[in-house]
Amino acid sequence: MLVLMHAGEVLLEKRPPAGIWGGLWSLPECPPDADPEQVAHGLGYDAALSGELPGLDHTFSHFKLRIQPMRLTVAHLPAGASEPGRIWLSPQDATDAALPSPVRRIIAALPDEYTGRPLTEDTELQVSPSVSSRSTRSRRKGS
């Protein structure tokens, strides 16, 4: 998944109504073997890779999804940046949107330049349907 950031906001895309996470807002997808900057360019954004975020596992009833979020910085938004099906929100506002649980956790784990919270290299977000995003953040902070 791509975490495209511009001026303190993250890009979300509306998922198709059918299928996994149908109708929810999500981060843009990026195949594991693809160049994240090229995928961002295909979406219409000139973005520079600014790092990997901690990976996470999400288990569905019939398969396990491994997500490796890649953070990219977008210097300038193109004219069509606010096209239907895409929205730029602050990480705080994004976590209040209709998001799949793993996407909410990725956004909640953004490093301090976006949220004021530090992100350490040993942070690994283990996602379980029974664990709320608040409890995951609390455990990571040592609370």
Side-chain angles (χ1 to χ4, degrees):
M1 292 190 148
L2 300 180
V3 181
L4 292 168
M5 300 296 303
H6 173 73
E9 295 183 325
V10 63
L11 176 67
L12 297 175
E13 292 184 323
K14 190 78 157 179
R15 302 269 313 166
I20 292 177
W21 301 334
L24 298 177
W25 291 97
S26 187
L27 297 167
E29 292 185 16
C30 181
D33 58 346
D35 178 348
E37 291 178 354
Q38 290 296 331
V39 173
H41 183 56
L43 296 172
Y45 302 103
D46 184 19
L49 186 64
S50 51
E52 285 187 8
L53 293 167
L56 62 103
D57 297 317
H58 184 73
T59 304
F60 292 89
S61 60
H62 56 290
F63 70 95
K64 184 175 187 175
L65 176 65
R66 175 72 180 162
I67 301 171
Q68 180 56 65
M70 304 300 289
R71 188 179 61 206
L72 293 98
T73 302
V74 177
H76 304 286
L77 294 182
S82 61
E83 67 186 58
R86 291 186 184 163
I87 189 169
W88 290 89
L89 294 173
S90 71
Q92 295 78 12
D93 289 341
T95 57
D96 291 333
L99 302 175
S101 175
V103 173
R104 184 177 319 283
R105 285 178 173 86
I106 291 167
I107 293 171
L110 287 172
D112 58 352
E113 66 258 35
Y114 305 114
T115 63
R117 291 184 311 269
L119 180 69
T120 61
E121 285 190 26
D122 62 329
T123 302
E124 177 74 17
L125 300 178
Q126 295 300 321
V127 180
S128 163
S130 64
V131 178
S132 74
S133 60
R134 286 194 176 102
S135 65
T136 301
R137 278 186 260 144
S138 296
R139 279 198 317 261
R140 192 180 69 243
K141 289 198 272 187
S143 300

